[in-house]
Amino acid sequence: MSLSKTITLTLAAVLALTLAACGNNATGGDIRLQGAGATFPNPLYQKWVSEYGKQHTNVKIDYQSVGSGAGIKQIKERTVDFGASDSPMKDEDLKAAPGEILHIPTVLGAVVITYNLGGVAQPLRFAPDVIADIFLGKLKKWSDARIKADNAGVTLPDTDITVVHRSDGSGTSAVFTDYLSKVSPEWKEKVGAGTSPNWPTGIGGKGNEGVTGQVKQTPNTIGYVELAYAVQNKLPAALIKNKTGSFVEPTIDAVTAAAAGSLANTPEDLRVSITDAAGPTAYPISSYTYILAYKAQTDQIKGKTLVDFLWWGIHDGEKFAKDLQYAPLPEEIIKRAETKINSMTAGGQPLR
């Protein structure tokens, strides 16, 4: 064999090994995925990105916690590889997208009522009509008789209630206002459900982080955030009266109970609301959160990497959920999410 042929074969072997080591990345470098959207699951997604990166050192995933509204906008405009939202995309948004977008549920969480009230140690209790009237600006004092009625033995101050809400397009807001629209006809008529409602009263904060910060630093405030943010910041989370009349604490089991009650009504595309769920132990402001991805990927390597990450997330990634105050997906929903991931293609070829 000639020297030149030996060198050529050696170079070919080295190239093959390099490609294999890079996860078939033809550039031989890192594979980068950009995601953006919901702040609701951000603590979990940052954990997922970190843990997945340890196992796949050539995969670099950046997730920006910018709110569900921004996540939906960016996936529609294809400026990210995947979006994220707690609120399923509306039919008109899906139709306006340049391709079919899938909703991949990742975990479940609770939107909690949190507050900053000096001298009140135990978690407060709120009935649905009281929550609606506070956020409508109709119920203005912490010492109001309707709040007192559900909180016997608690000394409530005679101070004004300051409402804190999201200032950005938010899936957390969509979940919360979806709940309020179900329990309050007046809320449904005057405000309705959505990512960017026209708030009747209050001050705004950007992201779950912003609302948490406003409540934490401002006395006599009340706001709504994802459970993980309240726990991390040592803020209280109220018990909410559910459909059966039970006051339910926002726990992982109570969120799981809300999901269990909606399995039979979950549509094929997995876009579902589980607020105001039936069942004595169901927490009434619960929600799935979703990763949004195009069914037909434009880049084979990035598409395969995204599919592998999503598969890892709904299997191995679920074990991180509970420690971060999220409820893992029900088995039936995992199976249905698997079908969605398996349907993803690039150039007409399956990615799994």
Side-chain angles (χ1 to χ4, degrees):
M1 186 184 293
S2 69
L3 179 62
S4 62
K5 192 167 184 182
T6 301
I7 291 169
T8 301
L9 288 171
T10 303
L11 287 172
V14 169
L15 179 60
L17 285 169
T18 303
L19 286 173
C22 292
N24 297 324
N25 182 6
T27 65
D30 293 335
I31 306 167
R32 297 185 180 276
L33 294 180
Q34 181 66 58
T39 65
F40 182 103
N42 185 49
L44 178 70
Y45 288 177
Q46 296 304 335
K47 179 69 172 174
W48 279 12
V49 166
S50 170
E51 294 296 327
Y52 193 77
K54 290 175 189 174
Q55 298 174 28
H56 305 82
T57 53
N58 65 314
V59 175
K60 310 296 181 189
I61 304 173
D62 179 38
Y63 180 74
Q64 294 295 316
S65 169
V66 292
S68 295
I72 289 170
K73 182 175 186 288
Q74 290 187 45
I75 192 68
K76 279 170 60 184
E77 295 172 353
R78 286 193 187 268
T79 55
V80 290
D81 300 303
F82 63 93
S85 178
D86 322 312
S87 173
M89 290 177 68
K90 292 187 168 70
D91 289 345
E92 55 264 34
D93 284 325
L94 289 171
K95 285 173 185 168
E100 183 181 348
I101 293 176
L102 302 176
H103 285 66
I104 312 293
T106 51
V107 286
L108 298 115
V111 177
V112 304
I113 302 296
T114 190
Y115 50 88
N116 180 344
L117 211 53
V120 176
Q122 71 259 50
L124 293 177
R125 297 169 171 240
F126 290 103
D129 59 305
V130 170
I131 299 170
D133 282 355
I134 289 172
F135 281 83
L136 281 166
K138 292 172 64 180
L139 201 159
K140 300 176 182 295
K141 292 279 189 182
W142 280 108
S143 57
D144 190 283
R146 290 166 64 198
I147 300 178
K148 283 184 171 179
D150 292 321
N151 293 280
V154 180
T155 303
L156 293 162
D158 188 30
T159 52
D160 291 340
I161 299 171
T162 300
V163 166
V164 183
H165 55 71
R166 288 285 286 273
S167 59
D168 54 330
S170 157
T172 308
S173 290
V175 172
F176 184 52
T177 55
D178 175 62
Y179 165 72
L180 291 177
S181 295
K182 288 179 181 178
V183 300
S184 166
E186 185 178 359
W187 182 277
K188 185 177 182 180
E189 180 192 342
K190 290 184 176 177
V191 184
T195 55
S196 299
N198 186 14
W199 295 100
T201 187
I203 56 176
K206 186 169 169 47
N208 270 283
E209 304 92 336
V211 173
T212 303
Q214 287 275 24
V215 172
K216 196 169 184 179
Q217 69 193 19
T218 313
N220 305 315
T221 43
I222 188 169
Y224 60 95
V225 295
E226 200 282 325
L227 176 60
Y229 291 85
V231 171
Q232 287 168 6
N233 288 277
K234 297 181 172 54
L235 285 170
L239 281 69
I240 309 296
K241 193 176 189 179
N242 72 6
K243 212 168 190 172
T244 63
S246 303
F247 282 96
V248 181
E249 184 183 349
T251 63
I252 291 163
D253 288 344
V255 172
T256 301
S262 69
L263 284 176
N265 303 318
T266 303
E268 190 273 333
D269 64 11
L270 301 179
R271 292 185 297 157
V272 66
S273 162
I274 61 169
T275 58
D276 199 32
T281 62
Y283 179 72
I285 324 179
S286 299
S287 176
Y288 285 98
T289 191
Y290 301 91
I291 281 179
L292 311 170
Y294 282 97
K295 183 175 180 178
Q297 294 285 305
T298 56
D299 183 300
Q300 172 85 27
I301 292 169
K302 289 175 80 170
K304 175 76 168 75
T305 304
L306 176 57
V307 159
D308 289 346
F309 174 63
L310 291 173
W311 191 270
W312 177 92
I314 67 167
H315 294 95
D316 295 11
E318 295 294 301
K319 71 184 176 206
F320 302 109
K322 287 186 177 180
D323 283 347
L324 293 169
Q325 310 302 321
Y326 300 92
L329 294 176
E331 278 300 321
E332 182 181 326
I333 297 298
I334 289 176
K335 287 175 185 169
R336 293 173 67 175
E338 287 175 352
T339 302
K340 295 294 175 196
I341 296 169
N342 283 333
S343 74
M344 292 172 68
T345 61
Q349 297 300 310
L351 287 165
R352 267 192 65 79

